[in-house]
Amino acid sequence: MKKKFLFIAIIFFFSVEIHANAYIESVNPKTVVGSWSRQPLSIYGTNITPESKVRLCWPDNCITLKGERTKYKSSDELQIEIITGIKNEQWQITLIGVDGASSNTISFEVVSTKKHKKQPLNMAAAMNRVGEKQIPLLSHEQTISRLLMLDERIAKLTGAEPSMINYPTSIGAYGDNIYFADSETYNVFRYNRKQNVIFQLYATSNQIDSRMGGIYINSDLSFFVADKMSGSVFHFDLDGYLIKQYVDLKNMRSPVSVVFDEELSTIYIADNVYDRVVLFDKNGVAFSTIGKRGTGAGKFMRIVDLSLGPDGVYVIDKQNKLIQVFSRTGAFRYSIPRGEVKSPSSITVDRKGRIYIADKSDNSIKIYGRRGYLQSFGVTGSGNGQFRAIGDIDADNEFLYVADSANNRIQILKIGAKDSGLDADK
């Protein structure tokens, strides 16, 4: 009996270790322009840790990257810097854990600069066809990348430098006010578009110092922030001072997104450990949940984000290839296949019911209606309407706000011309 027990224990131990290994889902860009200079490449997957090393192989050799050549972003993302040379070659990437265990291996192409065809700057060329012509629903409006703190005169008097946007990962908007979180500095900022002035909300750092999730802005300009590390959601006033903390140890360990229904006074918080949405009243009491782990209607596998829209609460996860829609009281309504999205990072819904999903796999924003896929916007790059590692998106009135993380900036996109023909019901 002792030998049998030991054998079962060994099997269980190894099954746990295998489950904990990193897994690579995709890399971006998939095609790298050959260069003798360092250039970034993002790795997306699961179970990535700060100690993960990168095994990089090409036809002639293999090397292991660590330290300053790797930058841990989250358990889903790791950035590396590579020098490829200028040959046309296929390269391979494998992640190595602290225990020496290897992930799967994924390939990407290195192409000569002479043979490489540049991405089109005309964004209409990147749109999917609707009928017989290309009809872009989104167009670039504004880029925010370098901002002066408070006032230029004060900055000159105090010798302050312009505040840089380092790596924005969460964003929310209401009217002319944009709130965003920067994962490099662990700070939250409020920017007013009309006044062209930015405020760093220092007080939030008293509660949050790492791994911020989604941000949601209320009509009174107070805001909610999901804090993955503490397993809490914080409600702050417009200056960043704490109003209330939302905790539910039974149903919530790693909240990734939060929205607030002011009419029902209900806070919806998505948790990607327990894979459910927890409903709180305004007093901070959890009174209901939506969904559970699994596949099929009303079930989730690794929730990514949620949003409020005309039809209720919209939820996306990583494993189920669906957009699931629930009533605001939690009843399942319908789902929409989202097979076009390989690595979702965020979802938002405009006032007409059109659904926008950020896809990290190809740096695009996929647009859906109630009947399914409509079109895609964006390609990999640093120009207007181009993205690198979209962290978060939020729709407010006629604008779509994008946390363009690896480009260190916020992009504001204008939502659709009246003649676009892309209604939510199509």
Side-chain angles (χ1 to χ4, degrees):
M1 290 296 292
K2 289 182 179 178
K3 291 182 179 179
K4 185 176 181 181
F5 174 78
L6 178 61
F7 178 70
I8 293 171
I10 291 171
I11 292 175
F12 176 76
F13 172 78
F14 278 104
S15 68
V16 170
E17 288 301 306
I18 292 171
H19 179 71
N21 287 352
Y23 180 82
I24 304 175
E25 295 177 351
S26 63
V27 297
N28 185 62
K30 296 177 182 177
T31 301
V32 176
V33 182
S35 172
W36 291 110
S37 300
R38 287 189 182 186
Q39 53 184 316
L41 186 137
S42 296
I43 303 169
Y44 302 107
T46 57
N47 297 323
I48 300 172
T49 69
E51 294 78 23
S52 294
K53 300 177 184 178
V54 179
R55 187 72 169 167
L56 193 63
C57 295
W58 60 96
D60 299 329
N61 200 2
C62 289
I63 60 172
T64 300
L65 301 182
K66 57 184 179 179
E68 66 174 13
R69 296 283 295 278
T70 66
K71 183 179 287 187
Y72 175 78
K73 293 297 181 181
S74 70
S75 61
D76 300 329
E77 180 183 354
L78 182 72
Q79 258 193 8
I80 62 174
E81 289 186 338
I82 58 175
I83 301 173
T84 62
I86 56 174
K87 291 182 180 179
N88 292 310
E89 295 176 327
Q90 185 176 77
W91 288 43
Q92 295 181 324
I93 286 180
T94 308
L95 293 178
I96 310 297
V98 67
D99 58 354
S102 299
S103 72
N104 61 313
T105 298
I106 196 166
S107 300
F108 66 94
E109 297 292 331
V110 175
V111 296
S112 167
T113 53
K114 293 181 180 179
K115 296 182 179 180
H116 180 70
K117 203 171 185 178
K118 291 184 178 180
Q119 295 280 12
L121 290 178
N122 179 5
M123 295 312 300
M127 302 301 164
N128 289 76
R129 289 185 178 272
V130 180
E132 296 182 355
K133 61 179 181 178
Q134 295 171 337
I135 310 172
L137 179 65
L138 297 171
S139 59
H140 181 266
E141 176 79 9
Q142 182 183 354
T143 296
I144 306 169
S145 58
R146 189 173 175 88
L147 300 164
L148 276 176
M149 296 294 291
L150 298 180
D151 186 279
E152 187 175 2
R153 290 169 299 177
I154 297 175
K156 288 180 179 179
L157 288 171
T158 60
E161 292 293 324
S163 175
M164 300 297 293
I165 298 176
N166 293 295
Y167 201 87
T169 51
S170 305
I171 192 165
Y174 190 90
D176 293 317
N177 291 281
I178 305 166
Y179 292 67
F180 64 91
D182 194 310
S183 68
E184 291 281 351
T185 59
Y186 306 133
N187 289 319
V188 178
F189 298 87
R190 183 177 79 247
Y191 173 66
N192 185 282
R193 291 181 63 198
K194 279 191 174 179
Q195 298 174 358
N196 191 30
V197 72
I198 187 170
F199 299 89
Q200 183 173 338
L201 306 180
Y202 293 98
T204 59
S205 61
N206 294 327
Q207 274 72 43
I208 304 174
D209 59 7
S210 66
R211 298 193 65 199
M212 282 180 277
I215 292 180
Y216 185 84
I217 317 303
N218 298 326
S219 60
D220 62 359
L221 300 186
S222 66
F223 61 100
F224 294 90
V225 179
D227 182 15
K228 302 176 189 178
M229 186 65 75
S230 70
S232 307
V233 166
F234 297 98
H235 184 197
F236 299 101
D237 68 15
L238 67 96
D239 294 316
Y241 290 97
L242 183 65
I243 297 174
K244 189 172 291 293
Q245 181 179 3
Y246 296 82
V247 180
D248 180 3
L249 298 178
K250 182 179 178 181
N251 294 296
M252 199 168 72
R253 186 189 295 178
S254 181
V256 292
S257 185
V258 55
V259 294
F260 177 50
D261 186 326
E262 295 191 34
E263 185 177 343
L264 297 180
S265 295
T266 300
I267 299 98
Y268 304 82
I269 301 172
D271 185 86
N272 74 349
V273 170
Y274 291 113
D275 278 322
R276 61 191 59 169
V277 178
V278 187
L279 281 64
F280 287 81
D281 64 25
K282 63 181 179 180
N283 297 315
V285 177
F287 64 88
S288 185
T289 61
I290 299 174
K292 60 182 179 179
R293 183 172 299 150
T295 58
K299 298 179 181 179
F300 313 111
M301 292 290 287
R302 299 194 65 215
I303 290 181
V304 172
D305 198 11
L306 84 167
S307 181
L308 288 180
D311 290 348
V313 183
Y314 300 67
V315 185
I316 54 169
D317 62 359
K318 281 207 168 185
Q319 305 300 329
N320 293 313
K321 300 293 184 180
L322 297 171
I323 303 163
Q324 298 196 58
V325 184
F326 301 82
S327 72
R328 301 202 179 203
T329 56
F332 177 79
R333 298 193 63 186
Y334 63 90
S335 63
I336 305 167
R338 59 153 189 84
E340 296 79 9
V341 180
K342 294 182 180 179
S343 183
S345 63
S346 181
I347 184 172
T348 189
V349 185
D350 69 19
R351 56 188 176 184
K352 293 187 177 180
R354 289 172 298 214
I355 304 161
Y356 306 82
I357 301 178
D359 189 348
K360 279 190 174 181
S361 71
D362 61 359
N363 287 305
S364 69
I365 298 169
K366 307 292 196 310
I367 307 169
Y368 290 81
R370 291 184 181 90
R371 298 183 184 179
Y373 178 69
L374 296 175
Q375 66 173 216
S376 177
F377 179 89
V379 293
T380 301
S382 300
N384 292 338
Q386 299 178 344
F387 312 102
R388 290 173 58 230
I390 299 174
D392 196 13
I393 56 176
D394 187 41
D396 181 64
N397 293 325
E398 70 270 28
F399 295 105
L400 184 71
Y401 299 85
V402 183
D404 189 4
S405 301
N407 278 326
N408 317 116
R409 64 187 183 180
I410 305 296
Q411 289 201 62
I412 303 173
L413 308 177
K414 180 80 170 178
I415 296 178
K418 294 180 179 179
D419 60 353
S420 68
L422 294 180
D423 295 329
D425 290 323
K426 293 191 176 181

